[in-house]
Amino acid sequence: TLDDRFLDTPSLAIDHCQEVCCEMAHTVKESLFLAMEQIENYSDERNEQVHALEDDVDRYEDALGTYLVKLGSQNVSERDSYAVSIMLHSIGDFERISDHAVSISESAKEATGKEQGFSNKAIAELNVLMEAVKEVLTTSVVAFDTKDLKLATNVEPLEDAIDDLSDEVKARHIKRLRKGKCTIEMGFVLSDITTSLERVADHCRNIAVCLLEASEE
């Protein structure tokens, strides 16, 4: 789809880029959702899927980044220039989300190898946090796909809520640790997972802010 022959018609090339960017975004979403399933029900097969999807996302980023730089050097309209800028910024954030998906899946693998896994309470709390992250990622992907600016404005409040939820999960773990109901080792794993989830929300915010700033300019 990213054929250099389309570069002579920038508007057509941009349309193709947006299609491929949306494919990349949905691949990232699939990867993260699979990784989050690992917390409660880890499998090596799913872990391999997450890694394979991350490789796909890396290829998307390389191909799109190279093509968009070529496209940006063409004589494009101001509107098309903004579209190129949004995509260049966003593909980096999408790629980082897929990296965090791998980290979450690997953390779940580490937790499975411990003698004492996550308590039921810890899993329940993580599920609340993960549902919020699913919502913010889905909102960001749809906003990016449809260029829905109203939807994009919903991302930052969700990201703030996710930060608060993450702090609450960590605080409750410390309480369990003091009561001897959890281990320090599992605390490190939990911290890695919550940090990755927070970072995912941060990248979603970046994507939404990029859409909004481009529209204002």
Side-chain angles (χ1 to χ4, degrees), residues 28 198-199 210:
V28 168
E198 284 182 70
R199 296 291 177 269
C210 186

Side-chain angles (χ1 to χ4, degrees), residues 14 75-86 214 216-217:
I14 284 171
N75 184 22
V76 297
S77 67
E78 187 176 17
R79 181 180 178 183
D80 285 346
S81 178
Y82 284 139
V84 169
S85 178
I86 289 169
E216 288 171 6
E217 290 174 9

Side-chain angles (χ1 to χ4, degrees), residues 160-173:
D160 289 338
I162 286 164
D163 286 344
D164 292 339
L165 281 170
S166 180
D167 290 342
E168 182 67 19
V169 169
K170 291 172 183 175
R172 291 190 179 201
H173 168 74

Side-chain angles (χ1 to χ4, degrees), residues 86-103:
I86 289 169
M87 286 186 279
L88 273 172
H89 280 89
S90 297
I91 59 175
D93 284 299
F94 281 127
E95 193 278 330
R96 290 297 294 129
I97 291 171
S98 75
D99 287 343
H100 291 302
V102 170
S103 296

Side-chain angles (χ1 to χ4, degrees), residues 137-197:
L137 179 58
T138 300
T139 302
S140 300
V141 168
V142 174
F144 178 82
D145 199 348
T146 61
K147 302 298 178 285
D148 187 331
L149 301 179
K150 186 176 180 181
L151 197 58
T153 60
N154 294 336
V155 172
E156 191 165 5
L158 281 169
E159 190 264 337
D160 289 338
I162 286 164
D163 286 344
D164 292 339
L165 281 170
S166 180
D167 290 342
E168 182 67 19
V169 169
K170 291 172 183 175
R172 291 190 179 201
H173 168 74
I174 291 170
K175 287 180 182 178
R176 284 192 295 273
L177 187 62
R178 287 173 178 166
K179 293 178 180 178
K181 295 180 178 180
C182 198
T183 64
I184 292 174
E185 280 187 316
M186 290 307 298
F188 287 134
V189 178
L190 182 77
S191 179
D192 288 343
I193 291 171
T194 53
T195 298
S196 291
L197 291 170

Side-chain angles (χ1 to χ4, degrees), residues 108-127:
K109 181 179 181 179
E110 184 182 351
T112 304
K114 305 288 185 187
E115 282 188 24
Q116 181 181 346
F118 288 121
S119 66
N120 290 335
K121 284 187 177 180
I123 288 176
E125 291 160 10
L126 280 172
N127 279 334

